[in-house]
Structure formats: structure tokens, C-alpha cells
Amino acid sequence: MRRARVLAGIAAGIGLLAALAGAPARAATQDLIILHDNDIHGHLRDFCYVEAAKGPEEHCNTGGAARRATLIHRLKAQAKAPVLLIDSGDTTTRGPLATQYEGVDEIKAMNAIGYDLAALGNNEFKLKDAADIKDAAGAQAALAKLVRLSDFPWIGANVTDASGALLPGVKPYVVRKIGPVRVAFLGLTAARSASYPQTKGLKFTDPVAAANLWVPRARAEADIVIAVTHIGVLDDHRLVAQTRGIDAVVGGDSHTYLYNLAEQKNLDGKVVPIVQDGEFGVRLGEFDLSFEGDRASGWRLARYTDELIPVDASVKPDPAIAALVEHYARPLDVRVGVVPVVGQTPAERNRLTAVGLADAWAMAAGTEIGLQPEGAMFESFRTHDVTRFQVHAIVPFHDTVWRGEITGAKLKEVLAKPSGFAGVMRATIDPADIDPAKTYTAATTDFVAEGLLSGGVDTGEDARKAVEDWVSTNPRRGLRL
């Protein structure tokens, strides 16, 4: 009986194997969740923000490292697959704490939250280790310091020093083992960074050329290649269209909210997904990928979805990260003065703030008028009481006040139409009162002065200190709707 049962079992097994041999083999699967952000720009605290595509309403208690940390921890706890947290560049610069800490505060927050990797953005090259923004050695030393302080790797394949060597501590790509799948993350940054005075001595290659060099090398070590880019969504499409071997793109730089992920065919006709998460940590991207295959036949990206999850008032701040943020931010919560008029809407506040800053520049330089474009501001006066943190949020750069001249005719022309990034120019003089035949003494910042003022002279006055001095006088002129 025992022998009969054994033989019957063997026969059943042989029959099962035969049946399976006639059926198609089912590919193995491996899932991966990538949590991604980009262009945080030093927004460690939460803030107020208008997400234009979602309507004109301004929402406060938005973003911030502490709320983002809570959401990240929640998603990781709920995840049914491995999770990687990555940043696609411009974590630093432009925030209210940028010149105070030169990115150290942001790296400390990223370390505490648990980032797995970050790509170099163009603004990582704008860190200032000295007051002079043109101090290339200081800026590059500041970046090297941040790389050393990071508990995660930085990637950037298309930037080298003058000798062609990769920057200290920066890797072209990193490989992570996700179950049986080896995934390479290739970093690419904006080639326009080569034009910055802070990058003197560095070499930047076109992202497509760099990808064609580095993707085959990454593929020699990995089954899947994901480009983590800071080149903008248009160049992300160009990157995919002109290369082979990239399976997905996690992008940044253009501050694009890809609420529905983009797709682009590569040179082989393969469709490659492209994702990007907007700006300032207003949302957190969740990029879900599913790979199919095996080591022998290779792995492929079979399915993917992406969602941009709001980081809003419904997400409670993580207490430990909130305490870390306040350690750096609270020293700037010093009341420096008052403004008599505050707009009710973002548009009103922009106009008022631009004119208010122009008043500050004029007072500092002793000129007849002041000029300030709305597009060169990054916040606005929201309350009558003004703090140093708020001033640094509005004017986050170490700009200086310039004094020069402008004809009335040119001034009328400048005020009549927006131009590029600078946007609408605001002045402390009403356009109806401008005499086209007169030449006015005028003040603005060094960022704006070039090409606008003739005979421009740098006063050396810190633009933010000029604002503090102005609000400390309880100003009454200017600030008109």
C-alpha cells in the first residue's frame, strides 16, 4: 500500500510537471515605490500658497519639512513594497534661511527625514560661502560641505571639474537592489549652470550626451535605469527621445505639476514615463512601479502610476522635524518694523510689496524714485508687523542696492510692459506723473539694475537691511494699490 501511494504520488507529480510544461511561464514581479520631490528651495517651514491649476484660493499651512515628514512616514508604514525617497534637485537657495545657513539646515532636515538620494540642481551651485555671490571657490566649497554632511548620496553625471573628474563626493549614478532587481539612478543637472559665476572652472555637458555616455555603464551593473533629472520637463522629453536605455524619469527644475504623468517614446520606440512634483514641497509624488522578468531573461518596467499628494493643513507636523526646523528658523523671528498697508489678495500684496521695497531702495540710495519688479520677489508683506524672517522670505538673496539714472521716456516704457522673469515693474512714482523729458535718479537691486539704469553704482547696502531700515521708520509714503 505504501509503495502504491508513493508511485501514485510520483505519477501525479509527473503529470503536473507535464501540464505545467505546456503552459506559458508566468514572469516574476517586483514592485517599487518612489516618493519624490523637487525644487523645495529651502521651504523648511510651512507657508501660504496659491496652486494656480487648482484654483485662485490661497492655502496656508502648506508644505514644510515637518508635514512632509509625517506624510512620508505614513506612506512608508502603509507600503506593500520597498520605498525609496528621492529629491530631484534645488533643495537649496531662495528660501528665507538660504544665506543664513547656506543649505546646512536643509540637509539636516533631509537626513532626519531619511532621504535615500538627491540629484544636483542648478541652485546647489549658487550656495554662497562668502558675501560675494561671484565667489566661485566659496560657492563650490559650500556645495562640497553639503555633500559631506549628507547621509545620502548626491548624483550628477554631467558636471565635472576642469580636469574632467566628478565633483568630490558626487556620483554619476547609484545602484540599489530592490528584491531581485538592480535599479540604477542616474543624475543629470541643468547645463545652463555653466553660465553662473559660481561655477567658474566647472564643466557641464548636455544631458543627452551625458546620458549616452553613462546609461550603458549603468546598465552593465543594473537591470533598470531611472534618470533623476534637474533639467525641466521639456528637456526630459528631449532626453528620452534622443536616447536608449532609460526606463523612467523623475524630474525637476521647471516647477511643473505633472498631475498626470507624461510619456515619451525613446529611440527604440519604447514608452518612458516622466514625473515631476511641482515646487516648494506643496505636494509629494508617489511613483509606483512594477517590474516583470527575471535575471536570466531581464527585467522590464511593466506598469506604473504616479500621484501628487497634497502636503497641506490636514497633515500634522512631525514634532521632531518641527523642532529641528524651528531651531534654525526662530532666530529670524525678530520684529524689525511695520508696514501701514497690507493687501487682502495675493495680487494686491504683490503690488504693495513691490512698491514698498522700491521705497526702501530709494530711501537707502537717496534717489527720487525706486524700482522693483514683482517677479523678483518670492513672498509679500502679509501682516503689519514685519519680521526678519519675512524680509528674507521676500528677498532671499544677498542682493545690494544700486543707484543710477533712468529717463522718463524709458521709465514709462518699462512700466508699460512685463519683461521675462522680472515681470511687472513697480515704481514709487505714478506713471501719470512721469515727465518723459526728465532724467530721474533711481534705485533698485543689483539683480535688476543691469540694462535698466545708466551710470549704475553699487552702494554696497544689503537690500534686506535696507528693507529693515525702511519698515523701522513706520513708512507712510508709497504702498498704494
Side-chain angles (χ1 to χ4, degrees), residues 143-166:
L143 173 56
K145 177 181 178 180
L146 293 194
V147 172
R148 291 194 304 272
L149 287 175
S150 300
D151 292 341
F152 51 88
W154 286 85
I155 52 176
N158 63 322
V159 55
T160 67
D161 64 18
S163 70
L166 293 165

Side-chain angles (χ1 to χ4, degrees), residues 349-400:
R349 286 200 301 272
N350 282 347
R351 289 198 296 273
L352 290 167
T353 303
V355 176
L357 298 182
D359 265 314
W361 312 154
M363 187 181 85
T367 59
E368 296 169 279
I369 63 171
L371 298 167
Q372 171 68 11
E374 287 184 14
M377 301 179 333
F378 295 89
E379 245 292 354
S380 61
F381 294 122
R382 294 178 173 275
T383 58
H384 293 289
D385 285 331
V386 178
T387 66
R388 181 163 295 151
F389 185 92
Q390 189 174 17
V391 172
H392 283 229
I394 296 167
V395 188
F397 299 109
H398 190 242
D399 292 340
T400 54

Side-chain angles (χ1 to χ4, degrees), residues 28 171 181 273 284 344 386:
K171 303 175 183 297
V181 185
L284 177 72
Q344 299 301 308
V386 178

Side-chain angles (χ1 to χ4, degrees), residues 223-460:
D223 307 295
I224 297 291
V225 174
I226 297 175
V228 185
T229 70
H230 194 84
I231 60 177
V233 70
L234 294 179
D235 268 349
D236 283 333
H237 280 274
R238 182 174 70 91
L239 171 69
V240 174
Q242 297 180 14
T243 61
R244 294 179 172 88
I246 295 174
D247 295 286
V249 176
V250 180
D253 188 43
S254 54
H255 295 223
T256 307
Y257 287 98
L258 287 178
Y259 300 106
N260 298 306
L261 60 78
E263 294 179 319
Q264 174 66 53
K265 289 184 179 179
N266 67 8
L267 287 175
D268 293 324
K270 176 184 174 182
V271 175
V272 175
I274 299 169
V275 300
Q276 192 178 149
D277 185 40
E279 63 179 6
F280 303 163
V282 170
R283 289 176 178 261
L284 177 72
E286 181 181 345
F287 192 19
D288 296 333
L289 307 99
S290 184
F291 309 114
E292 287 186 354
D294 54 46
R295 188 65 181 272
S297 59
W299 292 88
R300 66 183 183 88
L301 177 57
R303 291 173 298 281
Y304 46 81
T305 61
D306 189 61
E307 180 183 3
L308 304 187
I309 305 170
V311 183
D312 57 21
S314 68
V315 182
K316 294 183 178 180
D318 178 276
I321 302 301
L324 175 65
V325 168
E326 291 309 303
H327 167 76
Y328 289 103
R330 194 173 295 114
L332 273 72
D333 287 338
V334 178
R335 183 181 180 277
V336 293
V338 64
V339 289
V341 181
V342 177
Q344 299 301 308
T345 68
E348 288 174 347
R349 286 200 301 272
N350 282 347
R351 289 198 296 273
L352 290 167
T353 303
V355 176
L357 298 182
D359 265 314
W361 312 154
M363 187 181 85
T367 59
E368 296 169 279
I369 63 171
L371 298 167
Q372 171 68 11
E374 287 184 14
M377 301 179 333
F378 295 89
E379 245 292 354
S380 61
F381 294 122
R382 294 178 173 275
T383 58
H384 293 289
D385 285 331
V386 178
T387 66
R388 181 163 295 151
F389 185 92
Q390 189 174 17
V391 172
H392 283 229
I394 296 167
V395 188
F397 299 109
H398 190 242
D399 292 340
T400 54
V401 178
W402 274 58
R403 174 191 172 98
E405 295 181 338
I406 186 169
T407 66
K410 182 175 181 179
L411 182 56
K412 276 183 170 288
E413 181 184 338
V414 167
L415 297 180
K417 63 177 183 178
S419 64
F421 173 75
V424 176
M425 185 71 71
R426 301 293 176 187
T428 56
I429 185 172
D430 192 287
D433 296 332
I434 298 172
D435 180 354
K438 181 178 177 179
T439 297
Y440 295 86
T441 58
T444 187
T445 65
D446 55 335
F447 177 76
V448 180
E450 187 175 357
L452 179 65
L453 303 183
S454 60
V457 176
D458 190 347
T459 69

